[in-house]
C-alpha cells in the first residue's frame, strides 16, 4: 500500500517521464482493489480469474490516465475503470447473445436482480418502482426481466441426448438447401428445353394448336376458336391436338432417357 505522498510522486514520475517502473508500482499496489471488486460479481457465474484479469486491464487504463494534481486518490479514480472493464466482460460472456446493449439495458442488467424482492415475477407496482428508481421505462424493466430469466439453448443436439432433436431441426429449410435448389433448377431447365424440343417435332399447324391450347397466358383458345381459324371442324382440331400431344410425350420420353 502506498501513502498519498508516494502515490503522488509515482504518478508524477509516470506522467512526466513515462516511467514504466512507476506505473508497475501503482498497478501492483492496487491489485487488491481489483480482487475485492471482482468478488462482488461472483453471482454471474463467470470465473473469478477472468474477472480479475479484466479488472487489471481497467486498472492499467486508470493508471495511465490518472492525474495526481486533481487532488483525488488513485483508488477512487480507478474504481470506475475497473468496473467498466468487468461490466463489458460480463455482458460479452454471460450469454451467447449479448443481453444488454443500450444504456438503460446495462443499468437494468447490473441492478435488477438486487432490486427484486424474490424469485417471483415482478408485479406491475414493483416494475414501476424499479423503473422510477433507475430512470427507465417500466416496459424496459419487463423486457430485461424476461431476458435474464431465459437460458441459452444449443442449436445442435447434444450427442448424449436420447431424443436427438434440437432447434436446428426446426430451422432447416430443405427447399433452400443448395443441392436441392440446383436439382430443381436443372430439372426446370431440362423441362423447358424438353418442351421446346418436343414442339420442334410438330408441324406448324399442330404447334400452333398446342401453343394456343396449353401454353397461352390468357387461358388458351377453345376448340371452336381454333376451328374457325383453320377452317375445319372442332372435332378435327381435337384430333390434331391429341396426335400432337402423343408425339410430344414420345419426344419428351426420349429426351429424358438420353
Amino acid at each position: 500500500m502506498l501513502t498519498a505522498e508516494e502515490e503522488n510522486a509515482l504518478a508524477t514520475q509516470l506522467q512526466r517521464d513515462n516511467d514504466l517502473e512507476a506505473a508497475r508500482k501503482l498497478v501492483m499496489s492496487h491489485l487488491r482493489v481489483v480482487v475485492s471488486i471482482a468478488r462482488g460479481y461472483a453471482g454471474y457465474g463467470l470465473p473469478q480469474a477472468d474477472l480479475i484479469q479484466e479488472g487489471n486491464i481497467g486498472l492499467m487504463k486508470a493508471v495511465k490516465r490518472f492525474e495526481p494534481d486533481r487532488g483525488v486518490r488513485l483508488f477512487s479514480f480507478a474504481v470506475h475503470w475497473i468496473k467498466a472493464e468487468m461490466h463489458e466482460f460480463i455482458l460479452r460472456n454471460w450469454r451467447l447473445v449479448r443481453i444488454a446493449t443500450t444504456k438503460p439495458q446495462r443499468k437494468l442488467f447490473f441492478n435488477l436482480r438486487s432490486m427484486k424482492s424474490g424469485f417471483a415475477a415482478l408485479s406491475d407496482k414493483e416494475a414501476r418502482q424499479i423503473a422510477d428508481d433507475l430512470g427507465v421505462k417500466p416496459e424496459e424493466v419487463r423486457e430485461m426481466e424476461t431476458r435474464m430469466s431465459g437460458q441459452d439453448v444449443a442449436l445442435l443436439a447434444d450427442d448424449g441426448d436420447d431424443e436427438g432433436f434440437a432447434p436446428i431441426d426446426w430451422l432447416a429449410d430443405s427447399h433452400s438447401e443448395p443441392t436441392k435448389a440446383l436439382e430443381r433448377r436443372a430439372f426446370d431447365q431440362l423441362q423447358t428445353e424438353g418442351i421446346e424440343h418436343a414442339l420442334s417435332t410438330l408441324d406448324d399447324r399442330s404447334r400452333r394448336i398446342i401453343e394456343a391450347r396449353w401454353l397461352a397466358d390468357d387461358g388458351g383458345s377453345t376448340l371452336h376458336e381454333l376451328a374457325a381459324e383453320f377452317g375445319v371442324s372442332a372435332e378435327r382440331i381435337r384430333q390434331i391436338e391429341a396426335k400432337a400431344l402423343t408425339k410430344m410425350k414420345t419426344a419428351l420420353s426420349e429426351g429424358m432417357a438420353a
Side-chain angles (χ1 to χ4, degrees):
M1 296 178 64
L2 301 174
T3 64
E5 291 76 16
E6 291 172 333
E7 181 179 288
N8 188 282
L10 288 170
T12 301
Q13 193 173 345
L14 171 62
Q15 191 177 56
R16 183 186 62 220
D17 304 326
N18 196 27
D19 189 338
L20 295 183
E21 179 59 24
R24 188 189 70 81
K25 290 180 179 179
L26 289 170
V27 170
M28 295 298 291
S29 65
H30 287 79
L31 290 179
R32 68 190 188 284
V33 178
V34 177
V35 175
S36 176
I37 294 175
R39 287 174 180 165
Y41 296 103
Y44 290 96
L46 297 172
Q48 280 286 291
D50 291 343
L51 282 170
I52 291 171
Q53 185 166 329
E54 294 296 320
N56 288 340
I57 294 174
L59 174 59
M60 286 186 282
K61 289 182 178 180
V63 168
K64 183 178 180 180
R65 292 167 173 79
F66 181 59
E67 297 179 6
D69 54 357
R70 294 284 185 175
V72 297
R73 295 296 300 270
L74 177 57
F75 168 83
S76 302
F77 181 74
V79 166
H80 165 77
W81 291 94
I82 295 170
K83 286 186 175 181
E85 291 297 321
M86 289 185 182
H87 286 184
E88 283 298 321
F89 175 76
I90 293 170
L91 289 174
R92 287 196 312 268
N93 295 276
W94 194 64
R95 289 279 174 81
L96 186 63
V97 178
R98 190 159 183 165
I99 194 171
T101 54
T102 65
K103 188 175 181 180
Q105 288 174 350
R106 293 163 66 95
K107 188 185 298 184
L108 282 165
F109 177 80
F110 289 106
N111 292 278
L112 183 57
R113 288 197 300 180
S114 61
M115 297 179 74
K116 288 182 65 173
S117 57
F119 294 105
L122 290 172
S123 65
D124 292 338
K125 181 179 179 180
E126 289 174 325
R128 287 194 300 270
Q129 182 62 49
I130 293 174
D132 291 339
D133 292 342
L134 296 179
V136 299
K137 299 177 181 178
E139 52 267 28
E140 290 177 324
V141 176
R142 289 290 191 189
E143 181 182 357
M144 182 54 64
E145 181 187 28
T146 302
R147 290 188 181 190
M148 295 182 69
S149 62
Q151 295 293 330
D152 290 334
V153 178
L155 190 62
L156 301 175
D158 187 0
D159 292 338
D161 189 357
D162 295 334
E163 297 182 2
F165 193 80
I168 190 67
D169 298 313
W170 291 104
L171 298 176
D173 183 6
S174 58
H175 185 76
S176 299
E177 200 270 326
T179 56
K180 297 291 185 182
L182 289 173
E183 287 177 4
R184 286 196 306 273
R185 185 182 302 175
F187 180 77
D188 292 342
Q189 184 177 1
L190 183 62
Q191 289 287 79
T192 301
E193 293 176 352
I195 291 175
E196 185 61 35
H197 170 68
L199 286 171
S200 68
T201 64
L202 304 178
D203 59 80
D204 293 341
R205 183 173 65 171
S206 297
R207 178 164 182 159
R208 164 63 184 147
I209 291 172
I210 293 298
E211 289 178 342
R213 291 278 289 159
W214 297 94
L215 303 177
D217 294 332
D218 57 359
S221 302
T222 65
L223 292 173
H224 292 284
E225 289 173 343
L226 290 170
E229 180 180 337
F230 289 102
V232 295
S233 65
E235 176 60 22
R236 179 56 182 157
I237 295 296
R238 188 193 64 76
Q239 293 173 356
I240 296 172
E241 177 187 21
K243 185 177 180 180
L245 288 174
T246 301
K247 189 173 183 180
M248 288 182 65
K249 288 179 182 178
T250 302
L252 283 170
S253 299
E254 293 175 351
M256 290 290 186

